[in-house]
Amino acid sequence: MSATPIISAPIDVVSTVEAATPPQLPPHRSHDPANNLKRTDPFQFGSRFLEEGDNVFEFNAWDHVEPDDEYKAFAEVQYAKQRECPASDFDKLRFNADPVKWWNVFYKNNTANFFKDRKWLRQEFPILAEVTQKDAGKKVVLEVGAGAGNTAFPLIRNNENEELMVHACDFSKEAVKVMRESEYYDTNFMTADVWDVSAIPSEENDSLPPGLTEGSVDVVILIFIFSALSPQEWGRALHNIYRVLKPGGRVLFRDYGRGDLAQVRFKKNRYLDENFYARGDGTRVYFFDRDQLEEMWGRWTPEKGLQEPSTLEAAAGSDATQATAKDDGAFDVVRLAIDRRLVVNRQMKLKMYRCWIQGHFTKRE
């Protein structure tokens, strides 16, 4: 549920991206000519700026690069084409009716070696370094949509806290199987279980992860998870996350941003709904707007629930809405930022504009 399938970009998208000229910053700092890495040491994400005079193909990636107006206009044309040729009603039904089936197939077809460990998480979310410190005390971390364990395993490999427990959950039984069969699976600090974050309580199941109770988790990790849910499932997911978190508990969030190349290059018969698509392997993906996420996390309450997605998007961005979000929501929006990156294929001379949104939320005391 957490993986990012690789999709080849159609020729028209490739040519447009290649033609786009990324804005370049005026030179504002010097670099060591003998070691011109344009980065801090140790490396910090967000520190490599594209400046005037730089060769865009010198490095594999540049941070905080906005696409130019030509590329943005092209993206809007692509979105219009996607709406004109949506997925058929039959495909919409089969992709939405049983999404776990497609993720099970995905993990059957891809071994654990397909996925890269997210070694950057401790840097991007310092709380993960804190809970793994030697004297941190009893800490419970819940990763939702743990996939092949590429967040959980690096976390426990760097752990010095004897009282840490990581609950790595995914609604794909195949993903859980991959984790449990890994050489890094250490039940002293980790347990992997099947769990659907959007589950509805029933007589047999209270919708919380196995082995966890209300108010028992210090940190919830959500990396590319909400995008795999349909908008109709977001409210139930928020409710389950709220229930399992301790007061003051943290939510670490990262997902796809609107305008990401992955969205622009979708072709016909993949459009399920606005900003919501089916990949070629049947898995689903949604692309978020920052204001939409601020509205979602800032205003949701157990009593009022979540507004309809269309209402969320229409309301997002107004001063009155932001004030309400700050005062009334069950979560505090500590930080929510857009992460733009220009990824470069140096051999083929291709430029790929990526966009993610990263957030840090806390459950109100």
Side-chain angles (χ1 to χ4, degrees), residues 334-346:
V334 178
R335 186 174 183 272
L336 188 60
I338 298 176
D339 177 9
R340 295 190 184 278
R341 194 163 299 161
L342 175 62
V343 181
V344 175
N345 184 320
R346 298 161 71 184

Side-chain angles (χ1 to χ4, degrees), residues 85-327:
C85 298
S88 66
D89 290 342
F90 174 78
D91 280 344
K92 289 181 180 180
L93 179 61
R94 71 190 184 103
F95 292 138
N96 287 320
D98 189 15
V100 68
K101 177 184 74 172
W102 301 101
W103 283 107
N104 279 332
V105 171
F106 176 83
Y107 284 105
K108 278 184 179 180
N109 293 339
N110 297 288
T111 67
N113 294 331
F114 175 83
F115 311 95
K116 293 183 179 180
D117 284 349
R118 292 165 174 159
K119 300 175 182 179
W120 47 268
L121 278 176
R122 285 160 55 91
Q123 174 185 302
E124 294 290 289
F125 299 109
I127 182 62
L128 294 179
E130 294 174 20
V131 300
T132 56
Q133 291 177 357
K134 186 174 182 179
D135 300 322
K138 184 177 181 180
K139 298 295 180 182
V140 178
V141 175
L142 168 64
E143 186 192 1
V144 182
N150 303 93
T151 294
F153 291 140
L155 195 61
I156 63 174
R157 282 202 297 270
N158 288 283
N159 177 49
E160 297 180 351
N161 180 7
E162 295 182 358
E163 296 184 86
L164 174 74
M165 179 54 69
V166 178
H167 290 257
C169 295
D170 199 288
F171 76 168
S172 167
K173 64 180 182 181
E174 295 297 329
V176 172
K177 180 182 178 183
V178 170
M179 286 189 284
R180 289 179 176 174
E181 293 178 351
S182 169
E183 62 180 302
Y184 302 112
Y185 187 58
D186 184 350
T187 55
N188 291 317
F189 301 103
M190 175 182 173
T191 178
D193 293 292
V194 176
W195 181 59
D196 180 1
V197 68
S198 62
I200 299 174
S202 65
E203 292 183 1
E204 297 79 22
N205 190 334
D206 67 356
S207 79
L208 294 183
L212 292 174
T213 57
E214 290 201 24
S216 63
V217 172
D218 296 281
V219 180
V220 172
I221 303 174
L222 303 169
I223 308 296
F224 301 113
I225 298 312
F226 266 60
S227 58
L229 304 174
S230 72
Q232 291 72 33
E233 295 171 312
W234 295 341
R236 175 48 56 186
L238 283 164
H239 193 269
N240 287 333
I241 293 165
Y242 176 82
R243 288 181 62 204
V244 79
L245 266 179
K246 295 177 180 178
R250 319 284 189 92
V251 176
L252 311 180
F253 181 97
R254 185 173 175 85
D255 224 316
Y256 295 103
R258 201 156 299 167
D260 183 81
L261 179 62
Q263 178 180 16
V264 175
R265 64 190 178 187
F266 274 109
K267 304 302 282 186
K268 62 182 181 179
N269 303 325
R270 296 283 116 190
Y271 177 91
L272 299 176
D273 207 338
E274 195 66 12
N275 301 303
F276 191 41
Y277 303 82
R279 299 187 182 96
D281 59 13
T283 62
R284 306 172 305 178
V285 58
Y286 188 94
F287 296 86
F288 290 97
D289 177 78
R290 181 194 177 281
D291 290 341
Q292 175 191 15
L293 285 171
E294 184 170 32
E295 174 79 0
M296 179 192 301
W297 284 93
R299 292 192 65 192
W300 180 90
T301 67
E303 297 79 19
K304 297 179 182 179
L306 186 66
Q307 299 181 44
E308 290 296 320
S310 58
T311 306
L312 281 173
E313 295 187 17
S318 71
D319 292 340
T321 295
Q322 292 178 3
T324 304
K326 183 178 292 186
D327 296 334

